[in-house]
Amino acid sequence: MPSFSQSKDLTRLGRAVRYSYKKLRPFREKRLERLRELCGFHYSDDGTRSRVPINLLEMARSIYLTNLVAQSPRVLVVAENPLLHALGKDAEVNVNHLLKEIRFEQSLEEIVDAALFLVGIAKVGLQSAETAELAGFLHDAQQAFCDPVHFDHWVHDTNAYRMEQVQFCGDRYRLPYDFVMQSDLFKNKDKLHP
């Protein structure tokens, strides 16, 4: 990944992000059309315009979700060395507890559901102590998390031919103004406006 330490580099990055976000607009629009078909005619004003007696898209979605995310994932840790069996069992119990605590099954279902219509994206990491309060009650400080990323908030380098060549990728999110102003994570706060 390139270093964006200079102001000129950040300006170029900003332009590239805006360009790529604009290039992804047709994909967002097609995804929205598929979601309208899923909702059907009678759901709301935002539903599809065509009347369909049996929503086959909803039926297919339901079948795929049931088969792809049938139950909460669990891990099995098997150590080849007999001396490490106890450590393996401890790791297995701890990981399974973590998956349950962060509601991994729910995140996985949302990611798979998104993948049925376009692409499923997950943000995985360790929650920092400074932003744990903003992330929600499922995010404890220094704990692993797995969150689905909504495609409307996603951007990546659209000039790359393969994912290995992508220069940037990320999702847009909002932070409270007071948090940004009090945090040491952000520089150039004098340019921010409430």
Side-chain angles (χ1 to χ4, degrees):
M1 286 294 240
S3 171
F4 298 106
S5 59
Q6 297 178 358
S7 176
K8 185 173 75 172
D9 291 337
L10 287 174
T11 303
R12 285 180 42 217
L13 174 63
R15 259 190 271 133
V17 166
R18 285 189 296 278
Y19 170 81
S20 291
Y21 197 78
K22 187 176 178 181
K23 292 289 279 185
L24 291 170
R25 182 180 296 147
F27 298 98
R28 289 183 177 88
E29 291 170 356
K30 288 290 185 189
R31 179 183 158 274
L32 187 58
E33 285 178 30
R34 299 293 84 81
L35 290 174
R36 283 187 176 131
E37 289 178 26
L38 177 71
C39 291
F41 180 78
H42 299 289
Y43 180 70
S44 72
D45 294 339
D46 294 331
T48 185
R49 295 170 193 230
S50 58
R51 294 175 182 247
V52 179
I54 299 174
N55 192 340
L56 296 177
L57 187 58
E58 169 57 31
M59 189 183 304
R61 175 181 169 258
S62 177
I63 291 169
Y64 279 122
L65 279 177
T66 302
N67 286 304
L68 293 173
V69 190
Q71 59 186 356
S72 183
R74 296 182 53 84
V75 299
L76 174 66
V77 178
V78 179
E80 291 182 17
N81 186 338
L83 299 174
L84 300 176
H85 281 289
L87 287 175
K89 281 295 173 197
D90 286 346
E92 180 179 316
V93 168
N94 289 333
V95 171
N96 285 328
H97 175 73
L98 175 68
L99 292 176
K100 195 174 198 178
E101 189 172 313
I102 66 172
R103 297 184 185 172
F104 181 71
E105 177 184 13
Q106 184 179 10
S107 294
L108 186 61
E109 188 173 318
E110 288 181 44
I111 294 163
V112 170
D113 191 27
L116 294 174
F117 292 95
L118 184 61
V119 63
I121 304 167
K123 180 169 38 174
V124 180
L126 288 176
Q127 186 62 52
S128 71
E130 191 171 25
T131 60
E133 184 179 314
L134 298 172
F137 69 93
L138 293 178
H139 292 252
D140 294 335
Q142 302 302 317
Q143 185 180 51
F145 68 89
C146 176
D147 291 336
V149 175
H150 199 280
F151 192 74
D152 287 345
H153 302 163
W154 175 255
V155 67
H156 66 269
D157 182 7
T158 56
N159 289 324
Y161 292 108
R162 297 187 352 237
M163 284 307 288
E164 295 83 25
Q165 298 171 335
V166 165
Q167 294 290 310
F168 61 88
C169 61
D171 69 306
R172 294 180 178 190
Y173 58 94
R174 294 177 185 239
L175 292 173
Y177 179 77
D178 293 336
F179 171 79
V180 172
M181 295 309 286
Q182 294 171 3
S183 174
D184 294 333
L185 296 173
F186 305 98
K187 295 173 180 48
N188 300 331
K189 295 178 189 176
D190 55 326
K191 297 180 181 180
L192 298 175
H193 302 288

